[in-house]
Amino acid sequence: MADPKGFLTTGREVAQTRPVGERVKDWNEVYVPGSLLPIISKQAGRCMDCGIPFCHNGCPLGNLIPEWNDYAYREDWSAASERLHATNNFPEFTGRLCPAPCESACVLGINQPAVTIKNVEVSIIDKAWDSGDVTPQPPERLSGKTVAVIGSGPAGLAAAQQLTRAGHTVVVYERADRIGGLLRYGIPEFKMEKSHINRRIQQMRAEGTKFRTEIEIGTDIDAAKLRRRYDSIVIAAGATVSRDLPVPGRELNGVHFAMEYLPLANKVQEGDLTVTPITAEGKHVVVIGGGDTGADCVGTAHRQGAASVTQLEIMPQPGEDRNANQPWPTFPMLYKVTSAHEEGGERVYSVSTTHFEGDEDGNVQSLHLIEVEFKDGKLEQKAGTERVIPAQLVTLAMGFTGTDQANGLVQQFGLGLDERGNIARDEDYATNVDGVYVAGDAGRGQSLIVWAIAEGRSAARGVDRFLTGASALPAPIRPTDRSLTV
Ligand SMILES: Cc1cc2nc3c(=O)[nH]c(=O)nc-3n(C[C@H](O)[C@H](O)[C@H](O)COP(=O)(O)OP(=O)(O)OC[C@H]3O[C@@H](n4cnc5c(N)ncnc54)[C@H](O)[C@@H]3O)c2cc1C
Ligand code: SF4
């Protein structure tokens, strides 16, 4: 156990963020660099090393949290990093971006603030990179088997790293021009700087994983050819089809899916564009959708110099405390103030958009909304509550409906879909097609990075068993596991 009295003597402290006025002028991560290390060992010391560590169950990866808390408390950073990597290929991603269901499940959280597990995680991995502890781990021998991974988001990368280390020859195919999936082109720089992806890719290349960008499977290479060329295939193509809002005026200029808007801002940061063709500068911006994608649009619009930013959500505002049907240790739906919300803008709940209006050039100028309420479990509009707000840029961030089928990927492989339209798989992540596996959002539906990594690791074990008859790779999670978490 870290510090037997830590949870009694030390209060919870988290990473400091930079002043709003400073950070909206740049795209760097919002945190004060170096602010965590001086406090983190004491924070890790708050861990009680519980007999039944509910944090394990809260984490889809089954992270060995009390073990690395203990090492972090003792400042044995190398041992902490080894324990962290035992269950997670990319803790620098989850340590920055995860909503931390482990913290919702932490036993300390029953009657006082939970251990700051996510901040301990990111401190361990940042320290490990700085001190050269993260090195390539190439396999000792090659199996002679080949695997293609389709998609380079966290699920594809985790599967690829596990399978490469198990001795298989792995090629990752990505239709975009850079590796990383939504980590690269969805999540803005201010939430995670892309240098973190780049150095992992370098490590993976040194281990032997090969990457092919700007190749879309189904279009540039068909499924039959891929199956002939590889012994097994992992589909980690994400759930990238955005949910639309088919109301009058949807066709106006300036109404965009979030995933048309956000990647362009990231491309400016990558140096591909000098300015983005879709900018919030000087405009009244309305973001439709109250989730993480919406928050990323809000933060991006602030940095582009929006005149105002309004975020609309159809559901009622969640409470700040757990309610009776979301008791500890479940992951509750709470009112969240993200770094983007701290930076300004207005959030409006329980409203639905009825239509957009534009000028004579076809550019959106305003959005009409109406208040809604739940009656007998059904969402109903409240008569007389219509109003109009200015809107010169609208982003639709209302979730995703599934894997892209327009490129023929699903049809060419002959893949079965489940009742939610995701690619169906069994308990080993195998699809209905022999040797073809699926991991991450493609099989689960739009979810979280931590689930994508967990599924990529588990699918890798399924593939390894398919290729060799047995596997020493871990499988943290089955597709049907929902655990205590999101
Ligand atoms: C804006 C935004 C912000 C988010 N923020 C967070 C967050 O803060 N925390 C969090 O935990 N989760 C967040 N998420 C969710 C998280 O990013 C996803 O759950 C996760 O990235 C899924 O990983 P994946 O590997 O399954 O798919 P993806 O990351 O979607 O990667 C799939 C990849 O496959 C490629 N691809 C698709 N089809 C083909 C094909 N036919 N051939 C070749 N390549 C193909 C795509 O181009 C893409 O690069 C966010 C999502 C969005 C959209
Ligand atoms: S539940 Fe909380 S206090 Fe208990 S072992 Fe996990 S992190 Fe430590």
Side-chain angles (χ1 to χ4, degrees):
M1 181 172 182
D3 175 1
K5 291 194 183 151
F7 67 98
L8 296 171
T9 56
T10 307
R12 177 178 158 114
E13 263 186 87
V14 293
Q16 282 171 33
T17 47
R18 295 186 289 133
V20 168
E22 173 192 316
R23 70 192 199 225
V24 293
K25 294 199 190 97
D26 65 45
W27 292 82
N28 301 336
E29 286 177 12
V30 298
Y31 299 104
V32 178
S35 69
L36 266 179
L37 220 50
I39 60 162
I40 210 65
S41 293
K42 279 196 101 175
Q43 288 299 310
R46 295 181 69 234
C47 174
M48 304 184 293
D49 192 12
C50 302
I52 299 177
F54 275 75
C55 53
H56 277 197
N57 205 18
C59 176
L61 285 160
N63 274 344
L64 305 170
I65 294 160
E67 293 181 37
W68 40 259
N69 274 338
D70 184 53
Y71 285 122
Y73 173 69
R74 290 167 210 287
E75 301 191 15
D76 185 346
W77 300 107
S78 283
S81 166
E82 186 280 321
R83 293 285 73 198
L84 193 54
H85 282 100
T87 57
N88 187 354
N89 298 63
F90 314 122
E92 64 275 34
F93 305 159
T94 45
R96 289 182 165 76
L97 299 167
C98 193
C102 54
E103 292 186 15
S104 302
C106 173
V107 176
L108 199 54
I110 295 174
N111 65 352
Q112 54 167 302
V115 174
T116 173
I117 299 169
K118 178 171 152 176
N119 280 183
V120 177
E121 177 180 34
V122 81
S123 305
I124 295 169
I125 182 58
D126 283 357
K127 185 92 182 149
W129 278 109
D130 289 349
S131 55
D133 273 343
V134 185
T135 52
Q137 295 171 39
E140 280 175 12
R141 63 182 73 85
L142 292 178
S143 67
K145 303 285 186 190
T146 56
V147 183
V149 174
I150 304 172
S152 69
L157 292 180
Q161 186 165 61
Q162 293 294 93
L163 288 164
T164 301
R165 288 177 176 177
H168 308 304
T169 300
V170 180
V171 181
V172 179
Y173 289 93
E174 170 56 56
R175 66 184 175 185
D177 58 350
R178 286 191 178 82
I179 296 299
L182 290 175
L183 297 170
R184 173 77 64 182
Y185 282 135
I187 289 159
E189 195 84 8
F190 58 81
K191 266 172 60 180
M192 187 181 76
E193 290 167 16
K194 305 308 160 194
S195 54
H196 299 293
I197 311 174
N198 298 343
R199 61 183 175 186
R200 266 299 164 188
I201 304 304
Q202 261 179 30
Q203 182 203 32
M204 290 180 67
R205 281 190 210 279
E207 290 170 352
T209 306
K210 296 179 174 55
F211 294 96
R212 304 275 183 269
T213 52
E214 297 184 273
I215 296 182
E216 182 158 21
I217 304 302
T219 306
D220 301 315
I221 300 179
D222 69 24
K225 191 164 174 193
L226 206 69
R227 290 193 72 199
R228 280 196 302 277
R229 207 186 279 178
Y230 293 93
D231 297 311
S232 182
I233 293 166
V234 180
I235 298 176
T240 55
V241 180
S242 303
R243 180 167 289 116
D244 209 344
L245 183 65
V247 297
R250 165 66 181 91
E251 72 291 347
L252 290 167
N253 301 325
V255 182
H256 298 279
F257 287 123
M259 282 304 293
E260 291 168 346
Y261 172 62
L262 293 172
L264 291 169
N266 285 11
K267 278 184 170 284
V268 173
Q269 297 314 307
E270 295 277 7
D272 298 347
L273 300 171
T274 39
V275 287
T276 167
I278 308 178
T279 180
E281 191 178 354
K283 295 179 183 160
H284 294 291
V285 177
V286 181
V287 177
I288 304 182
D292 276 345
T293 306
D296 290 351
C297 293
V298 170
T300 300
H302 290 321
R303 281 161 182 74
Q304 290 175 342
S308 73
V309 186
T310 308
Q311 189 178 14
L312 307 181
E313 169 57 50
I314 199 163
M315 299 299 287
Q317 180 171 337
E320 291 184 21
D321 298 309
R322 287 180 187 274
N323 61 28
N325 61 6
Q326 298 182 325
W328 176 89
T330 60
F331 185 80
M333 288 294 297
L334 297 180
Y335 179 73
K336 257 196 338 192
V337 181
T338 68
S339 68
H341 297 123
E342 284 169 4
E343 292 160 6
E346 190 193 353
R347 286 197 270 180
V348 185
Y349 288 88
S350 298
V351 289
S352 173
T353 302
T354 57
H355 61 286
F356 305 107
E357 264 178 348
D359 58 18
E360 61 271 20
D361 297 325
N363 300 316
V364 69
Q365 293 298 328
S366 62
L367 178 151
H368 291 241
L369 56 80
I370 186 163
E371 290 178 21
V372 291
E373 62 185 342
F374 275 101
K375 267 197 186 150
D376 303 326
K378 275 182 30 201
L379 209 55
E380 287 186 6
Q381 297 188 342
K382 283 162 79 173
T385 61
E386 299 87 353
R387 62 194 161 101
V388 188
I389 55 174
Q392 284 124 22
L393 172 65
V394 177
T395 65
L396 307 178
M398 302 176 307
F400 297 83
T401 56
T403 295
D404 189 356
Q405 297 191 31
N407 51 32
L409 179 85
V410 169
Q411 297 80 356
Q412 288 176 19
F413 276 105
L415 296 167
L417 301 178
D418 66 17
E419 64 286 353
R420 293 158 64 219
N422 301 314
I423 299 172
R425 64 272 179 90
D426 68 12
E427 292 292 281
D428 275 336
Y429 293 82
T431 67
N432 58 317
V433 182
D434 198 35
V436 179
Y437 289 71
V438 64
D441 285 2
R444 188 176 192 84
Q446 180 70 211
S447 180
L448 294 175
I449 291 156
V450 66
W451 280 106
I453 299 173
E455 290 212 357
R457 289 170 66 84
S458 299
R461 179 184 159 92
V463 172
D464 194 28
R465 280 177 52 191
F466 170 77
L467 294 174
T468 65
S471 180
L473 293 175
I477 203 94
R478 291 170 304 145
T480 45
D481 280 349
R482 290 272 157 187
S483 181
L484 300 170
T485 70
V486 268

